[in-house]
Amino acid sequence: QVQLVESGGGLVQTGGSLRLSCAASESTFSIIASRWWRQAPGKQRELVADISVSGSTTVFDSAKGRFTISRDSAKNTVYLQMNSLKPDDTAVYYCNADFLRGGISYYDHWGQGTQVTVSS
């Protein structure tokens, strides 16, 4: 079964940057659409950004102007570039994606999450 493998989280100071990556564990499953979510302690999971099948992107709410979502189809990887990080960005970040393999779509797969901590 295909998995999403996330990386790039860590500890950064306020104003710093991180780039999260989300890759499919099997190359025969092509990522066709994906989303980055985050969940801070004691809070509900919230949608941060998404990228559609066509490649159009949306960044939501407080991440606007600071975060960018992108996709490298050749590497079958999705990225979340996070700039000007704030302590409020501290959360576990999850990748969520849909795949296409052999003409069949597979929806709503989740990664294991990666911790992002922004110190003040």
Side-chain angles (χ1 to χ4, degrees):
Q1 183 176 356
V2 64
Q3 295 180 339
L4 289 168
V5 181
E6 298 163 3
S7 60
L11 175 64
V12 65
Q13 291 185 333
T14 296
S17 297
L18 285 173
R19 188 177 78 158
L20 306 183
S21 299
C22 173
S25 61
E26 296 188 27
S27 61
T28 57
F29 286 82
S30 299
I31 295 175
I32 55 174
S34 65
R35 297 147 291 273
W36 285 98
W37 296 74
R38 68 184 181 187
Q39 187 165 23
K43 295 186 178 181
Q44 289 187 331
R45 190 171 294 188
E46 64 172 344
L47 182 60
V48 177
D50 68 33
I51 184 164
S52 72
V53 172
S54 67
S56 63
T57 63
T58 304
V59 178
F60 296 90
D61 299 335
S62 64
K64 283 183 180 179
R66 300 186 298 123
F67 292 8
T68 303
I69 186 171
S70 61
R71 179 173 64 219
D72 186 333
S73 297
K75 295 183 178 180
N76 210 17
T77 300
V78 178
Y79 303 97
L80 184 68
Q81 178 67 45
M82 305 186 295
N83 298 327
S84 302
L85 283 162
K86 308 173 183 179
D88 285 349
D89 295 317
T90 295
V92 178
Y93 284 71
Y94 297 91
C95 178
N96 169 243
D98 307 328
F99 297 99
L100 181 67
R101 178 176 182 256
I104 299 174
S105 298
Y106 300 83
Y107 297 102
D108 202 27
H109 286 250
W110 289 85
Q112 79 284 0
T114 185
Q115 177 70 47
V116 171
T117 303
V118 184
S119 63
S120 57

